[in-house]
Amino acid sequence: MPEYATLTFTMSSDTAHALWSGQLSFPAGITSGKIRIFGKVSKVLEVMPVLTPVLFLYPKAAAEAGIPVPSN
């Protein structure tokens, strides 16, 4: 039986790119409405340590795919 997501983030691809490339902070994305969260906010705190490595992996992966990543 499939499990249902307890936490869902929605954002545009431009917002995701800005987030993962370090140009937009997660809290700023949420407060501006660019990132919408569905689920318990307490779950966000549990997920953040898992997502943090993406901040380090994304720029290289984007560059390899030919996607420009602004330098910080």
Side-chain angles (χ1 to χ4, degrees):
M1 179 173 200
E3 292 186 33
Y4 293 95
T6 57
L7 187 63
T8 304
F9 299 96
T10 60
M11 66 189 93
S12 71
S13 58
D14 289 338
T15 298
H17 179 65
L19 176 69
W20 300 127
S21 63
Q23 302 302 303
L24 174 69
S25 72
F26 196 74
I30 293 170
T31 57
S32 69
K34 291 182 177 185
I35 300 172
R36 294 183 10 189
I37 300 173
F38 300 93
K40 293 183 180 181
V41 175
S42 62
K43 290 288 182 184
V44 174
L45 299 175
E46 293 178 28
V47 172
M48 290 314 295
V50 176
L51 297 178
T52 300
V54 175
L55 295 172
F56 300 102
L57 298 173
Y58 181 81
K60 181 181 178 192
E64 288 174 356
I67 301 168
V69 178
S71 60
N72 291 334

